[in-house]
Amino acid sequence: MDSYSTYDSSLYSTDSMGADAGITAAAIIGALVIYLVVFAVAYVITAIFLGKIFKKAGTPSWIAWVPIYNSWKMLELGGQHGWWVLLSFVPFVNLASLVFMIIAMYHIGKKLGKEDWFVLLAIFLGPVWLIW
């Protein structure tokens, strides 16, 4: 008799597959919770420092807490059209929105008396630019 012809049902136990699925689901939920916490902390820190920039510019600092409106105001403070932020929702065209945001950051830095190299912080190290 051939050894391959015997069927061992213990190899395909549904109990072990159910446990693996539970562990996988728990890992996915845990990763999602960690992602949401990191996102929330980053959002709060960004809003706090963006609020300070708005305050220096004479704009109400509460605007920093409103997700799309804060980018709109940031563009306007930098001498750009605020509606450029709407391009960030269009795939492939959203790079234009990023370019206009970087230009706005450069102009805001100049208005606050920063050097030309300061725009490099806005491009490569956005959080450092906000803090500085």
Side-chain angles (χ1 to χ4, degrees):
M1 186 169 206
D2 191 1
S3 65
Y4 294 109
S5 65
T6 60
Y7 175 75
D8 186 9
S9 65
S10 66
L11 294 175
Y12 303 102
S13 172
T14 58
D15 291 338
S16 65
M17 287 185 177
D20 289 343
I23 292 171
T24 303
I28 290 171
I29 290 171
L32 182 63
V33 167
I34 290 171
Y35 173 78
L36 290 174
V37 167
V38 168
F39 177 79
V41 168
Y43 182 78
V44 168
I45 291 171
T46 301
I48 289 170
F49 289 114
L50 194 57
K52 291 178 187 263
I53 290 173
F54 286 161
K55 186 177 178 181
K56 285 182 183 180
T59 303
S61 60
W62 64 265
I63 294 173
W65 294 92
V66 182
I68 296 169
Y69 190 47
N70 63 10
S71 297
W72 188 293
K73 275 304 203 186
M74 185 89 154
L75 285 166
E76 286 180 347
L77 287 175
Q80 304 296 314
H81 296 287
W83 56 266
W84 284 113
V85 76
L86 299 177
L87 291 179
S88 64
F89 296 107
V90 180
F92 302 111
V93 183
N94 56 6
L95 290 175
S97 176
L98 177 65
V99 168
F100 285 111
M101 185 62 78
I102 291 171
I103 292 169
M105 289 176 176
Y106 173 76
H107 290 297
I108 291 170
K110 292 301 283 181
K111 288 179 183 178
L112 295 175
K114 303 296 181 185
E115 298 292 325
D116 288 339
W117 61 269
F118 191 68
V119 74
L120 292 176
L121 286 177
I123 296 171
F124 297 111
L125 298 170
V128 175
W129 181 83
L130 282 171
I131 293 169
W132 199 325

